Amino acid sequence: TPEAYRAEFPDREISDEKAERRGKRRRVWALPLRGWALANEGLHSEAEADFIEADLLAERNFIGLTDAGLDSLHGRAALLAGKAQQAVDLLGLPAVMGGDLEALEALTLSLEQVREAPVDIVEWSREIRPKLARNSENFSLSDYSENTLDLSDLAKGKVTLLAFWFPT
């Protein structure tokens, strides 16, 4: 809570906005961890409630992931609860787009349960990656020669990797 955050730093002046933001961020980090602990104790409905609350509070990056590992822990908890399809739905993003090895391992197990057969996770990842990827809105940047480049002018319908390099 904002109050708990303020109590940790009694000598600092903390604005209401900052205390609220920090309290919320800590809650987003704590809920998935508690949910994971509850799932490991077999308390699946209580765990699910924590994951849902964290998801409602969490901010997601461009890829769609949180920095709290929410989807990975939630997916692994779903697998523990015997909900293999829910686990697949939750684990795809952190495993394939986020490079989360624990999520990848749990995803493989989940897919094998759903399909009732061994799965080639590399091939599955190759197939699902374009479905998980998000399109970017168009934007313009200037190159070193002050030429304007629009993202929309680059290879339409293809994956484009942008590397921003700042020489020092």
Side-chain angles (χ1 to χ4, degrees):
T1 64
E3 295 77 24
Y5 182 76
R6 276 197 177 95
E8 286 186 41
F9 305 99
D11 298 335
R12 291 187 192 170
E13 280 292 318
I14 300 170
S15 70
D16 290 344
E17 181 183 321
K18 183 175 183 177
E20 184 69 35
R21 195 173 56 247
R22 294 285 170 91
K24 178 182 169 185
R25 182 173 170 81
R26 285 182 170 191
R27 189 148 181 83
V28 168
W29 274 88
L31 284 167
L33 293 172
R34 186 174 73 178
W36 177 237
L38 290 168
N40 279 279
E41 293 293 323
L43 302 169
H44 301 294
S45 1
E46 292 90 338
E48 185 69 15
D50 279 356
F51 291 123
I52 289 169
E53 184 180 348
D55 193 42
L56 292 171
L57 295 170
E59 294 180 19
R60 294 184 176 270
N61 63 20
F62 179 77
I63 294 171
L65 295 170
T66 71
D67 60 355
L70 170 61
D71 294 329
S72 179
L73 291 170
H74 192 181
R76 290 163 42 211
L79 181 59
L80 282 177
K83 299 176 180 177
Q85 185 58 57
Q86 180 186 12
V88 169
D89 296 341
L90 290 163
L91 292 166
L93 203 56
V96 176
M97 304 298 274
D100 183 329
L101 296 179
E102 290 175 322
L104 184 63
E105 184 179 327
L107 174 64
T108 303
L109 294 172
S110 302
L111 281 167
E112 288 175 350
Q113 286 182 20
V114 167
R115 293 183 175 186
E116 298 179 352
V119 64
D120 180 347
I121 195 66
V122 173
E123 183 59 35
W124 185 88
S125 296
R126 207 175 285 128
E127 291 171 12
I128 199 71
R129 187 171 280 118
K131 295 173 187 162
L132 294 173
R134 294 184 53 202
N135 290 327
S136 173
E137 293 180 22
N138 190 38
F139 60 89
S140 300
L141 296 171
S142 297
D143 65 14
Y144 289 116
S145 302
E146 298 300 319
N147 298 314
T148 301
L149 301 169
D150 288 336
L151 179 64
S152 62
D153 292 339
L154 301 175
K156 282 194 175 197
K158 305 237 180 196
V159 174
T160 303
L161 173 67
L162 299 176
F164 294 92
W165 177 65
F166 299 94
T168 56

